[in-house]
Amino acid sequence: MNTTRTALAVGAAAVLLLAGCSGSATGPDGGSTPTGTRGSAVSAERCRQNEAAGKVTYVTGYQFQASASILDPIAAKALGYFDDVCLDVDLQPGTGETAQNAQLVAAGTAKISSIAGNGDVLVNVSNGVDVQAVAMFGHVPVATLMTEPDITDLKQLEGTTLGQKGALPVTIEAMLRTAGVDVAKVKQVTVGFDPTVLVRGQVQSLTGYKSNEPLTLAAKGEKITEWNPEDYGVPGSMATTIVNPQFLAEHRTAVEDFLRAQLRAYSYCEQHADECVADAASLSQAGYDTAHNVQVWQTETKLVDSSLPQGQVLGQIDEASARTEGEFLVQMGQIPAVPDLAEVVVPDLVPSLYSQGQLVWPVP
């Protein structure tokens, strides 16, 4: 794994001195580091600052699915990393409605949340929702369009039925247009989350997520073709973290250390997927498919890691990529203009958590 993505146990001896005789567990670096010991990774002063933030409610993108920016905060809590930095974190399952997550954060009902990507942030901000983006995990669209193998050219979809989840993802629409498809000639219907509607012939194409529906169909032995927006030059992102602007202004150390613990847990879960997914399963209702969710996590971390730009650290968000997506959304008629990114994106927060490309833990 690239060193920019690996959590650093800086000053492990100092941490052990802080922890005294408390229990310890294996950290993401393979060493024995204290976990769940209140304040073991921060100074007494920083601990007080983080405790002053009160309960930090975090809303996931979709339930407790093992996706990037969902599984890692779950693991950070289970591993005791939030306790290590004196944060009281309440994890709440999201419904998958990105607008709802943004509204909860803007209202202060939630302080931090996962949202699908930068494009969703820009759309919500353009609609008057006051949130800021502080982190982003994947520099690639997570959406995909599935067809049966007999479709060899997207123009063949004209005159057929496309299944989507309530709205055609803008990256999928852009891909179709780029491929010369007259989208008006494709009948769109709203379908549920059962991807077998495609292989049963109820629809001839189906939108979904690279880390979900294709895995379900493959597990059933079904052969499909995936059509991905990035192959057509369509920009996108995945797993963006948004915060309430007032909360960030008043409790920046709490936001920093939330992300610090999350990033540390991300590295841990890359090596211990089964354990982290089991933690997510314990929060979910009956019927949680652990095997499928391990695949979800492994698929998404590959997307995240393979799309990380040279010279950037895991979780880093930058105005340039956000602007690219914003200009694309304007071109697609999704927003009237790119919002003032200086007010929307906080590019310096995540890089400040690293030293020489490695996550700083504990906080000096």
Side-chain angles (χ1 to χ4, degrees):
M1 185 168 56
N2 190 293
T3 56
T4 59
R5 305 181 188 116
T6 305
L8 176 64
V10 176
V15 181
L16 290 172
L17 287 173
L18 283 169
C21 298
S22 61
S24 63
T26 301
D29 56 349
S32 182
T33 55
T35 56
T37 306
R38 194 73 177 174
S40 65
V42 290
S43 67
E45 174 58 26
R46 194 174 180 99
C47 183
R48 285 191 290 270
Q49 290 176 328
N50 287 349
E51 288 180 334
K55 187 179 291 295
V56 179
T57 300
Y58 180 83
V59 180
T60 71
Y62 178 68
Q63 301 298 325
F64 294 121
Q65 178 172 282
S67 292
S69 78
I70 300 178
L71 189 65
D72 28 329
I74 291 171
K77 184 164 185 173
L79 291 165
Y81 295 169
F82 289 137
D83 283 333
D84 290 345
V85 294
C86 298
L87 288 177
D88 180 12
V89 176
D90 179 32
L91 301 172
Q92 294 292 325
T95 63
E97 294 289 338
T98 57
Q100 183 181 75
N101 281 22
Q103 289 162 5
L104 288 171
V105 170
T109 305
K111 299 299 188 292
I112 310 177
S113 174
S114 173
I115 199 167
N118 289 347
D120 300 275
V121 178
L122 298 176
V123 168
N124 279 282
V125 169
S126 295
N127 289 333
V129 182
D130 188 17
V131 296
Q132 289 181 299
V134 293
M136 183 187 75
F137 284 78
H139 295 254
V140 63
V142 71
T144 189
L145 183 71
M146 295 161 281
T147 69
E148 294 216 62
D150 60 336
I151 298 294
T152 57
D153 187 317
L154 286 173
K155 285 185 64 66
Q156 291 176 254
L157 297 181
E158 293 180 359
T160 68
T161 301
L162 179 151
Q164 36 95 328
K165 309 297 192 296
L168 184 64
V170 64
T171 54
I172 298 299
E173 181 178 349
M175 176 181 68
L176 292 172
R177 289 186 183 181
T178 301
V181 178
D182 185 345
V183 178
K185 294 181 179 179
V186 181
K187 179 182 178 182
Q188 296 184 41
V189 296
T190 301
V191 298
F193 290 90
D194 176 8
T196 62
V197 295
L198 174 64
V199 295
R200 294 201 305 267
Q202 293 174 264
V203 297
Q204 285 68 58
S205 57
L206 178 69
T207 64
Y209 297 96
K210 297 181 178 83
S211 56
N212 194 11
E213 291 89 347
L215 302 178
T216 299
L217 291 171
K220 295 178 180 294
E222 301 290 353
K223 302 292 186 182
I224 62 164
T225 298
E226 288 184 63
W227 304 82
N228 295 318
E230 63 271 24
D231 295 334
Y232 290 79
V234 177
S237 54
M238 56 182 283
T240 298
T241 302
I242 56 173
V243 300
N244 177 281
Q246 183 177 349
F247 182 75
L248 175 62
E250 295 176 354
H251 302 288
R252 184 174 173 113
T253 64
V255 176
E256 289 175 348
D257 290 344
F258 179 97
L259 291 171
R260 190 190 307 274
Q262 177 184 356
L263 290 162
R264 181 173 171 82
Y266 181 99
S267 292
Y268 183 90
C269 292
E270 282 200 295
Q271 304 299 321
H272 303 86
D274 290 343
E275 177 187 338
C276 293
V277 170
D279 290 328
S282 70
L283 299 177
S284 305
Q285 298 178 348
Y288 191 86
D289 188 336
T290 55
H292 174 74
N293 274 281
V294 167
Q295 287 188 306
V296 169
W297 173 249
Q298 292 172 337
T299 301
E300 292 206 4
T301 54
K302 286 180 182 177
L303 290 171
V304 169
D305 292 352
S306 64
S307 67
L308 183 63
Q310 186 71 28
Q312 290 195 16
V313 292
L314 177 68
Q316 184 172 344
I317 187 170
D318 64 272
E319 288 190 20
S321 60
R323 183 171 301 282
T324 297
E325 285 194 60
E327 291 171 350
F328 165 72
L329 291 171
V330 172
Q331 178 185 343
M332 295 296 296
Q334 299 294 309
I335 59 175
V338 179
D340 182 357
L341 294 179
E343 297 294 324
V344 178
V345 177
V346 186
D348 64 325
L349 197 153
V350 167
S352 74
L353 308 180
Y354 289 80
S355 176
Q356 296 182 350
Q358 295 188 338
L359 186 71
V360 175
W361 186 283
V363 186

